[in-house]
Amino acid sequence: MARERDGANNHQKDVTQVRNTDANYLAELVELGIALSAQQGREELNQKILMAARNFTNADGGSLYVVNQDESELHFRIMVNDTLETFFVSGRETEKPFPPLPLYDDEGRPNYANIATYVALTGKAINIDDAYSADGFDFTGTRAFDAKTGYRSKSFLTVPLKNTSGVVIGVLQLINARDDAGNVISFDPAIEPIINALASQAAVAIENSRLLVAQRDLMESFVRVLGQAIDAKSPHTAGHCSRVPIIARMLAQAAVDDRDGTFSNFYLTDMEWYELDLSAWLHDCGKIVTPDHVMEKATKLETIHNRIHEVRTRFEVLRRDAEIEMLKRKLDGEDALQCEADFARRVTELETQFAMVADANIGDTELDTDTIFALHDIAEQEWTRYFDRTIGLSWSEQQRLDDAKLAELRATGTEKLLMDRETDIYNGFNRGELYNLSIPHGTLTSEERQVINDHVVITQDMLAQLPYPKELQRIPDIAGNHHEKMDGSGYPRGLTGDDMGILEKVMMIADVFEALTAVDRPYKRPKTLSECISILADMRDKGQIDSDLFELFLTSGTYQEYGRKYLREDQRDEVDIAQFIVSNPD
């Protein structure tokens, strides 16, 4: 009876021990599931998966493979072996220990010879006691590895990693299970359900990680496509949206690298770098709705085309009228020499007047009051129109005109040489010829300039509508405040330096510097580095850009690095930065 009771007690102890072991496994699986669900990098995730599997089985080594995107190969990701004291991670090793494993041969037949590819193709786990005596699988590569390293690969446990749809996305392979004394043994079949459960958790974690990366890549690609579309919209600003991120990242990196200066405590997390990149690419997204005729307005009379040609034709008409008048006077018996002298004087007058109009159309010099008055005097001259101005108009153009205006346009008669018609005002723009020619400086009217400036407001409105994750909440401000100034004179919000963070101030400098150095703007010649730095220094002196960031821009050599990589040789002149550095008594 005593022996029976002792046997019963021992059995109970065994049951209790098994339950405790199962409970420990369950607790570890739960803990691992929590760890795998945390956001982390791909390499860290792979390490956690392999480490957990080896801990469960006390395996000497192990490897992790993932199926590539077109499901044609298994790609090595990580391998660990205690005996060999090896730790390989894909992308970091000097020599790849394992090439990709093809899942199919050249004729498209499944590759069942390799144990890892067999598991990937069939989705079945394989437990082998001794690779050297196993049938059905080709362990030639394993034997070669052993011969090279002096290792003895024996027991193998290979399990598939299946996602939530049951599709194999990877393979986990464990090598040489060990007992408590360190001897190599077979993998206990009782542990397989635990490893399969771990593999399922691992597959979900890997799939989630892939989805997060895919979402991030998709968002970044979409943002870049949008930026490239805006650049492509105008050949005169081509490349701006792609170059500003380069300058912004360079300057931000200089601030991060600053060890002893003003920015010694400044750093950026991976998500903050990502936030800066997206913001820089999106900073001009509002230009997607800016009318082309405003973006492309290189002269004052330009809309879809440069209307100076129409004005010149009217001058040609006046010249021909003068010639006709001369010939009529001769036929009427007036003095021929006097008639020709009057005609020559009129031609000279018209040529001088047109030269003034054409020069005013360019917009590269400021018009004084006398010139504007002279343009108005020139505009008062009349020429005779004989053709109906409503012929050839589109339906939408005619819809803008009432019956009285249509009748007026149909009637022939005299017209002013330069005109500001009521019909020239629509869609918020005044396209009047005299109105546009009288712009004091540049080529844009006040309404057009406001539309250009409003691209920032539209940018802010567009970006404010997007549902950002917590880590990217500052994108609307970083992207939308690049036209603000430290002294509050910027737009559209009139913010001051105290209202903005470092990355917003970085964007301000990056945007201005790119615009100054750009070679594709129709309204200015390309500037040299020294000219650009001088202009930035003047903005700093006026309190418009951040002084510390500007000086870091110079002392870190950021301006030189950008110039060396992205500017023309004739722009890369020497800059004496000492003259722009303001000593700080603090």
Side-chain angles (χ1 to χ4, degrees):
M1 290 290 292
R3 282 197 301 269
E4 290 179 3
R5 283 195 296 269
D6 289 342
N9 290 336
N10 289 335
H11 175 71
Q12 183 62 38
K13 288 180 181 178
D14 291 341
V15 171
T16 302
Q17 186 175 359
V18 169
R19 287 177 177 172
N20 289 337
T21 301
D22 290 344
N24 291 336
Y25 283 151
L26 180 59
E28 290 184 39
L29 278 175
V30 171
E31 185 177 344
L32 177 64
I34 295 172
L36 294 182
S37 65
Q39 186 173 348
Q40 54 202 309
R42 185 184 69 180
E43 183 179 315
E44 181 184 1
L45 176 62
N46 293 338
Q47 289 183 39
K48 283 184 178 180
I49 293 169
L50 188 55
M51 183 183 299
R54 291 178 63 233
N55 287 342
F56 278 126
T57 59
N58 196 26
D60 186 38
S63 301
L64 182 69
Y65 294 85
V66 297
V67 179
N68 67 341
Q69 188 171 6
D70 62 4
E71 299 181 354
S72 63
E73 294 177 331
L74 275 181
H75 284 195
F76 163 79
R77 283 292 174 259
I78 185 172
M79 189 270 278
V80 179
N81 190 286
D82 290 343
T83 299
L84 296 177
E85 297 181 348
T86 55
F87 177 77
F88 291 107
V89 174
S90 177
R92 293 199 322 188
E93 71 278 4
T94 55
E95 295 182 11
K96 291 186 180 296
F98 302 110
L101 302 176
L103 294 174
Y104 302 92
D105 63 19
D106 294 339
E107 297 181 2
R109 292 173 298 199
N111 176 16
Y112 291 137
N114 184 286
I115 186 172
T117 57
Y118 176 87
V119 169
L121 290 166
T122 64
K124 298 177 181 179
I126 298 294
N127 189 343
I128 292 179
D129 294 332
D130 191 340
Y132 282 30
S133 60
D135 295 327
F137 297 107
D138 181 6
F139 282 98
T140 303
T142 301
R143 291 174 182 270
F145 178 80
D146 288 353
K148 181 179 179 181
T149 61
Y151 190 66
R152 173 62 166 92
S153 301
K154 188 175 182 181
S155 56
F156 278 74
L157 177 58
T158 310
V159 297
L161 305 182
K162 297 181 181 180
N163 63 15
T164 53
S165 301
V167 176
V168 176
I169 64 172
V171 170
L172 174 64
Q173 188 169 76
L174 301 172
I175 301 176
N176 288 358
R178 297 170 297 185
D179 60 18
D180 292 340
N183 300 313
V184 176
I185 60 175
S186 300
F187 286 93
D188 186 354
I191 199 66
E192 290 185 33
I194 300 297
I195 299 303
N196 285 328
L198 184 153
S200 296
Q201 287 185 331
V204 171
I206 291 173
E207 186 176 44
N208 288 342
S209 177
R210 284 181 171 180
L211 288 174
L212 288 174
V213 171
Q215 287 177 341
R216 177 168 171 166
D217 290 345
L218 176 62
M219 182 174 182
E220 186 170 354
S221 298
F222 177 78
V223 166
R224 287 174 180 263
V225 166
L226 179 59
Q228 290 164 357
I230 295 168
D231 282 346
K233 181 180 179 183
S234 169
H236 299 147
T237 58
H240 177 73
C241 289
S242 60
R243 289 191 293 258
V244 167
I246 295 171
I247 303 171
R249 177 170 270 273
M250 284 183 174
L251 183 52
Q253 187 64 59
V256 170
D257 293 341
D258 186 20
R259 292 291 178 264
D260 304 314
T262 305
F263 303 97
S264 58
N265 294 323
F266 178 72
Y267 71 95
L268 293 175
T269 65
D270 288 343
M271 286 303 294
E272 286 171 332
W273 278 114
Y274 183 56
E275 185 178 52
L276 174 61
D277 284 340
L278 293 183
S279 299
W281 274 96
L282 288 168
H283 81 282
D284 269 351
C285 67
K287 285 183 178 178
I288 200 74
V289 299
T290 303
D292 288 344
H293 75 271
V294 177
M295 290 282 291
E296 299 293 307
K297 194 179 182 189
T299 64
K300 296 179 182 179
L301 289 177
E302 186 169 341
T303 50
I304 302 302
H305 71 286
N306 190 350
R307 292 177 293 163
I308 190 66
H309 307 298
E310 298 177 23
V311 173
R312 184 178 61 247
T313 300
R314 295 175 204 156
F315 274 92
E316 298 279 7
V317 170
L318 290 182
R319 185 190 187 284
R320 187 162 301 172
D321 286 348
E323 185 175 16
I324 292 172
E325 182 184 4
M326 175 195 68
L327 295 174
K328 284 182 177 180
R329 287 172 61 191
K330 282 184 178 181
L331 291 174
D332 289 341
E334 294 189 34
D335 181 69
L337 292 177
Q338 183 62 47
C339 291
E340 291 174 359
D342 291 343
F343 172 66
R345 189 165 45 253
R346 177 57 173 160
V347 169
T348 300
E349 180 184 38
L350 290 173
E351 289 175 345
T352 301
Q353 290 175 347
F354 179 70
M356 178 179 290
V357 172
D359 185 63
N361 185 46
I362 301 301
D364 58 353
T365 57
E366 188 165 357
L367 297 187
D368 55 28
T369 304
D370 291 341
T371 302
I372 293 176
F373 280 140
L375 289 173
H376 280 256
D377 290 339
I378 293 171
E380 289 300 313
Q381 299 176 83
E382 295 182 340
W383 65 288
T384 302
R385 174 176 59 81
Y386 293 99
F387 292 89
D388 184 346
R389 284 191 60 225
T390 64
I391 297 176
L393 296 184
S394 67
W395 175 83
S396 61
E397 288 178 289
Q398 295 198 35
Q399 287 296 108
R400 294 198 301 266
L401 307 173
D402 56 28
D403 292 340
K405 184 58 63 177
L406 284 171
E408 178 185 334
L409 295 179
R410 290 190 184 102
T412 60
T414 58
E415 290 186 354
K416 302 291 185 182
L417 185 60
L418 301 174
M419 296 191 67
D420 289 338
R421 305 180 181 90
E422 291 182 26
T423 54
D424 289 329
I425 303 175
Y426 61 92
N427 290 342
F429 297 107
N430 186 338
R431 294 169 174 79
E433 295 165 347
L434 189 57
Y435 178 78
N436 277 264
L437 286 170
S438 301
I439 297 170
H441 184 71
T443 64
L444 299 177
T445 65
S446 57
E447 309 97 276
E448 291 166 338
R449 192 170 298 280
Q450 184 61 48
V451 168
I452 291 288
N453 292 348
D454 280 349
H455 83 271
V456 183
V457 178
I458 296 171
T459 293
Q460 292 173 342
D461 290 343
M462 289 172 63
L463 297 181
Q465 298 178 51
L466 299 178
Y468 303 97
K470 183 179 180 180
E471 299 83 357
L472 302 177
Q473 292 288 330
R474 295 166 58 214
I475 284 180
D477 287 336
I478 297 173
N481 292 338
H482 63 279
H483 280 301
E484 301 291 345
K485 298 289 189 294
M486 296 287 290
D487 61 356
S489 63
Y491 63 90
R493 298 172 177 172
L495 302 178
T496 64
D498 294 336
D499 301 321
M500 294 179 285
I502 291 177
L503 294 184
E504 291 160 84
K505 299 170 186 177
V506 165
M507 283 293 300
M508 290 160 53
I509 293 177
D511 185 70
V512 173
F513 186 68
E514 197 290 321
L516 292 173
T517 56
V519 299
D520 44 21
R521 307 300 167 87
Y523 47 81
K524 72 175 185 68
R525 64 172 179 79
K527 296 185 182 298
T528 62
L529 275 176
S530 59
E531 291 174 317
C532 297
I533 298 302
S534 179
I535 292 172
L536 282 174
D538 182 62
M539 295 179 67
R540 184 272 310 274
D541 295 341
K542 293 177 180 177
Q544 295 178 340
I545 61 174
D546 186 87
S547 178
D548 294 326
L549 278 174
F550 171 66
E551 292 195 4
L552 180 67
F553 189 63
L554 300 182
T555 57
S556 66
T558 299
Y559 77 96
Q560 285 179 316
E561 181 183 358
Y562 179 80
R564 185 169 55 252
K565 293 180 178 179
Y566 300 101
L567 298 187
R568 299 188 327 197
E569 186 176 356
D570 60 342
Q571 292 180 274
R572 301 195 297 264
D573 62 345
E574 292 295 324
V575 181
D576 179 15
I577 66 172
Q579 63 178 310
F580 302 117
I581 304 298
V582 177
S583 58
N584 189 347
D586 296 333

